[in-house]
Structures are given as structure tokens and as C-alpha cells.
Amino acid sequence: MADTLIPPDVRARLRGLRLATRMPAGGDGLGQHSSRSRGAGLEFAQYRAYEPGDEPRRIDWKLYARSDRYFVREAERDSPLTAWIVLDATGSMAQRDRREAERDKLDAARTLAACTIELALQQGDRFGLVMAGDPLQVVPAGSGARQRDRCRLALAQRRSGGGWPSDAALRPLFERMAPGSLIVFLSDFFDAAAIDLATRLALARREVASLQLIASDEHDFPFHGSHRFVEQESGAERRVDADGVRADFLQRFAAARAQLAQRFASAGIRHAEHLLSEPADAPLRRLFDPRALAAGGAR
Amino acid sequence: MSPLLLAPLGLAALAAWLLPLLIHLVRRVELETTPFAALRWIGARVQPQRRLRFERPWLLLLRLLLLGLLALLLARLALETPPAAPSARVYVVPGADRDAAAAAFDVADAGWHWLAPGFPRLDEPAPTGPVAVASLLREADARLPAGATLRVVVPRRLGGLDGERVGVAHPLEWRVVDGESPAAAASPAEPVRVAVRHAPGDAGGPRYAEALVAAWNAREPGRYTLDVAPAGTPLDAGASWLFWLAPTRSTEVDDWIRRGGSAVLVTAGEDGDPLWRDATGRVAARERRIGAGRAIALPGAFTPEALPQLLDPAFPADLRAALAGPAPAPDRADASAVQPVPRTDAAAALAGIDRPVRTLDAWLALAIAAAALVERLVAVRRREDGA
């Protein structure tokens, strides 16, 4: 069966990507992510004096030969990561381009979520899925191929609609998403509550990576003549002459995006924009580029 | 060669311009509905959404052009041909002395015309009979191009005048030479046949009629012949006056009057303008025009009891004058006394009268057909493009 969620070329390019956090993860078990826990591992961390109870095989015998003391060689233990995908499924995600009418923002978000799940699965990480909208839908974190299939089923069945859930409905998320877990936030961020949630999650020591989905129609505003623009969620409409408002809209929209990027940057959120016309791996590459990660980690 | 409109009201057809304007505007107002999530960044203050814009402006212009051409056709666009160089013209009133007239002005032969209907050249034979000089003077004045001088040679005894002093808009040169306008041939006393039709058995009426005719013949011997017959006898063609002394009359009599006869009717209740009144001011006779003829209605019978005037010695003369109709108005005067007066107010009025113009109807019709063709081509081609 052809994979409708992830195009083959995108899947091919996903191999080189890695989900990574800037903060060391603190979980237990063996994984690919650096953690605060010291112990047996590949990456050297420190020497410390031998204490009774340490395993004799962890004593660095070469150092003992030089210094006549017992030192235990400690390495950083790699730990597994829990990746949460928060997907905006509100009405505004039904926005689609006129040029490519059969694919809306939610479809693009589905593809991004599937790619992220695929990456997490490759790395052996746990992953979960939250779809915010009406209703709020949560696939609890888990790992393995069956968890992936559960998430993909939930993704495929999801339809956009409704507004952003209330704070009360979202509060359990803070309990589910442990500090230190990676949260990939897929939204158009047209809801102030969504921005708010991402910021609060980041301040509560979750590693948030946000992807803003932008339709080409919003990016270029290719309309002419008189138009009646209707917002999907509120039903508000505005009758304007498209040529007359284009410059103003583009300027204000760009300013709003820049403001969002700045706000996320100050909250320590990795942020990238995804144009619907570009392939799905491009924003992920920008978001999880090791160099960008290193630069961001220096804060 | 300046354009002018012969029927400027035709430009009211330009109101039809509203139609294509509306057609091209109304389609524009239809809004395209687009779902758009980023609505809040569309400026609400930039709302000149109904800017006056037209769809397919070239087609619109073409349609406006088509309607404009139609309006011009209705307004009868014409070109005023430039007036001929004001060649010197002299009008000679028939009756003026030819030799004296020729000496009056130093003008080439081609400029000489008779002041007669159609203004024939002077080398054509002189018109015979009277001409309406006053009317022809006004016409000649109106036909002259602006700036020309109206030169007229008139005989000393000028006829064909009317009640109004002639006014001319152009400068006038008025030369009086010897001569006399031809007058209407003075009609010699042509015989008049007087027909009398009376009710059968009525002997009184015809007797008075015979007496009247006898009275007229006493002044003009042998001019009036009498034809007395009872009503119903057909009127012969030569009869010009009629005494109808029967209380009722047939439509034949009316037809006869309508053809130009003069009749005395004794039927009561006829209407018409009062002709005579008696001593008490009561209307004694009424006169009425019927077609080309005239009817003189006397109330009551043609007897002295009903009509006391019948015994008046002046009655025959009065009745003859009434039957003969009004005498022609005097139309002759000394030429130097009736020289036309300049009328400055008429100059402007005459400016646009009867100038030679060339209508452009045929060319306009061609242009309209061409514009209609192009309009159809453009409209259909664009529709195919859109389909």
C-alpha cells in the first residue's frame, strides 16, 4: 500500500535526520540521547574515586598503574527520549492553497507528524500524539511499531474543526509530558492560546520545537479583485479589494511572524516555518539541524 | 468645414451609455468567497472595496463608441460645407428698366438675377405677372452668405409688397430705376351667372332676387345673367353666385360652395362671423367660409317681412360687395418709400438658416456596422478565451 502520509522521496531523506534535544534527558533505560545520569556508556564524562560497591570492572586499571589509586571511569549514560507531537487540528488548519486545492494545512501537519514519529521510531524513543481542536485527542506515549500504527490511524482519521481547547482541558498535558521531553508543536499559531501553551511548556522545562505552517496564499496573497474572505473558525468575514490590501497584509503578516519567532526565541523554543509548497523534510531539517542545535544550545 | 448637429436632441440617446456601463460594472460587484484563516491581518481600514472598475474595458469602450455613433446618427451629424465666396449678386425686380438697372451696379453678368421665385438668371426671360417682392426680398436676404451685400434694383412703382416693412440682415444697396412692377391683369367685368333656386311655389323670393340682379345690371349692363329654377334643378357649371331660397339644402349645394361658389342662404341657425347688423344691433347677416367658397346666411325668408333691409336702397350694393368678397389688399408703393430697414437682431437668427450642409448618415451607418462587427468579434473571442 502506498504511504499517503509520507511521500517516498521525503522518507528517503529522513534517514539523515535525528530527533535531538538541547537539554540532557533524564529518563532511564538505554537510548540515544545524552542524559544527566552518569554510568556505563560510550561518552567519557569523568573519573571519580573508587567507592566500595563499585564494580571492579569499571576501575580504570591503567590509571591505577600510573597513580596507584583506584579510579572509576564514568561515562554519560545515553537515555531514551519521549517525543510528543502536538498537532493543531482547529478549523483554521483547513486552510488550503488555491493552487493545490486538495491538500490543506492539516494534511501537511499530518505528514510532518508522521515524519517525526518515524524518526522517533528509528531512534527507539517513546512518542505520543496530542491533537488539539474539538475534541482534544491524546494518544499516550509508547514505543514500537504498534504505537506508530496507533498514531498514524489517529492522524488519518482526524478532521479539522472547532477552536483551541480551554486551559482546563489542556492541564492534564503537563502531567503526561514529563519535563525534559521533546514536544514538536505543529500549528499555524493563529490562536494566541496555542502560542501561550507552547511558551508555558517551554518555561516548564519541556523542550519545545515549533513548526508554523504557512499556506502559499498567505505567504504571497495572490488574489485579485474583490474578495470576501471568511475565517473558518469564527465565520468572520471581510470584504476587500485584494489588490488594495495586498501590500498591507503582507507587511502585517510578516511582522506577526517575525514577532512570533522572536517570542519563541526568547522562550527558548526552536522555531521554523513550513511553507505548504515545500517538502516535509525541509522544515524538520531546519529544526533539527545539528549545527542549529549547537548554536541554540549555547544559550 | 465644421461639424454640426441637425437634431441635437438625438444626443439624448447617449443616455443609453448607462447600459453597458452598468453591465460591465455589475459583474464586477460579485465577490469571490475565499476561506482565509489569516483574516485578522487583512486591514479593515483598507476598504475601498467598491472602486469603480470595469470589466473588459476595451470591450466597454467599443460598446460606448457604438452607442455614441448611434446617437450621432440620431442627432444627424452633418458637415457644413464652406460657403461659396460671396460673389457679388444683384437682384432685379421684374418691371425695372433693364438698361437703367445694368448701369446701377458694376457686377459681372453671372451675378444678375431676377427677384422672382427660384431667382432665375437675368438673361432668362423676365417673369410675367406679379411677384411677391417683399417675401422674395426676405428670402434673398436669408440666402446670402454672411458678409455679403444685398443689392437690389427696383422699379419706381414697386408692387408685391405686404403689410410688414421688409427688414434685412445684410447691408443693403437699394437702387430705384424707372419702371413699374407688373400688376395682376385687371379683370374686365367678366359675366356673372346668378343662379336662383327657390322652394316650389315660392314666388316672392325669386322676385326680389330678380330685382337685385336688375339693380346690378343697371350699373353694369349685361354683366349679370339670371337662372331661376325650383330647388332640385342641377346647378350649371358656369354659375358663380347662388341664391338658395329653400329652407333646406342638399349636400350638392354644400359641395358646390366648397368648390368656390358664393351663395346666399336663407336658412336660420347658420353660424359665422357677423356681416351686417340692423339698427338695434341684432345680427342681420353672417358670413362663413366653406372650403374655397363663401356662404352669406340671412336669417329667415327672403321677404321684406323677415328681412327689412331688402327694401333698403343700399342693399343691392352691399350684397354685391359681400358676394364678390373682399378686395385685394394694396401692395404697391413708391420704391424709395419702402426701402427695407436693417434688422440687427435678425443677423444672428439668420446665421444658421439654410446654410449648405452635407449629412454624414451613410458614413455613420457604415461606421456603426463596422463597430458592431468588431464588438461582436471582441466579445465572442474573449468569451471563447474564458470558456
Side-chain angles (χ1 to χ4, degrees), chain B residues 241-311:
Chain B
W241 294 355
L242 170 68
F243 285 81
W244 187 262
L245 303 181
T248 59
R249 64 178 191 276
S250 61
T251 53
E252 290 170 31
V253 180
D254 281 346
D255 290 342
W256 180 83
I257 298 173
R258 199 163 284 123
R259 282 197 298 273
S262 302
V264 174
L265 309 173
V266 294
T267 44
E270 296 279 342
D271 52 357
D273 301 329
L275 187 62
W276 303 318
R277 293 177 188 274
D278 60 12
T280 60
R282 206 158 48 86
V283 174
R286 291 179 180 275
E287 182 186 29
R288 177 161 63 109
R289 289 202 160 269
I290 302 177
R294 296 158 58 249
I296 296 158
L298 303 173
F302 206 59
T303 57
E305 292 79 26
L307 196 66
Q309 284 110 321
L310 209 54
L311 300 179

Side-chain angles (χ1 to χ4, degrees), chain A residues 95 190 228 230 238-239, chain B residues 31-32 34 36-37 40 42:
Chain A
Q95 178 70 34
F190 289 170
R228 193 166 67 95
V230 183
R238 198 155 285 175
R239 294 155 183 267
Chain B
L31 292 174
E32 199 176 329
T34 313
F36 201 69
R40 81 192 66 164
I42 293 178

Side-chain angles (χ1 to χ4, degrees), chain A residues 92 95 98 190 223 225-232 236 238-239 241 243-245 248-249 252-253 256, chain B residues 28-51 53:
Chain A
S92 64
Q95 178 70 34
R98 284 202 305 184
F190 289 170
F223 304 104
S226 294
H227 269 267
R228 193 166 67 95
F229 292 109
V230 183
E231 197 186 27
Q232 292 94 336
R238 198 155 285 175
R239 294 155 183 267
D241 180 66
D243 299 298
V245 297
D248 181 60
F249 169 80
R252 286 163 58 146
F253 190 52
Chain B
R28 196 74 218 170
V29 169
E30 286 175 8
L31 292 174
E32 199 176 329
T33 302
T34 313
F36 201 69
L39 185 76
R40 81 192 66 164
W41 291 286
I42 293 178
R45 60 190 167 81
V46 191
Q47 271 194 324
Q49 67 253 57
R50 201 152 301 180
R51 277 193 302 178
R53 289 214 302 186

